Amino acid sequence: MTFAATPALQAAVDHALAHETAWPREMYYPDGAYVGNREWNESGPWTEIVGPVAPRGGPAGVILH
């Protein structure tokens, strides 16, 4: 199924793509730090990552009309 986006819808999509988070898709920084721990300055025994962490996907969203 295909459709043609209206100019307003295309503008919203373009804005979302241009303002995607700078977080890495694999959820770990190159030095091995988990994104959530570093971004929120978390520390302590409760910050241990238990289990696998899946890479995040691309930008996604819902547009209500």
Side-chain angles (χ1 to χ4, degrees):
M1 172 187 256
T2 62
F3 66 94
T6 65
L9 175 59
Q10 190 61 55
V13 170
D14 293 341
H15 177 82
L17 292 173
H19 293 88
E20 182 182 6
T21 183
W23 289 11
R25 290 193 184 258
E26 62 277 350
M27 300 305 291
Y28 289 95
Y29 285 106
D31 66 0
Y34 180 66
V35 168
N37 291 344
R38 175 165 306 159
E39 295 297 323
W40 295 299
N41 296 320
E42 291 286 340
S43 62
W46 56 86
T47 61
E48 179 183 355
I49 306 304
V50 180
V53 177
R56 65 179 182 84
V62 175
I63 298 174
L64 300 175
H65 175 67

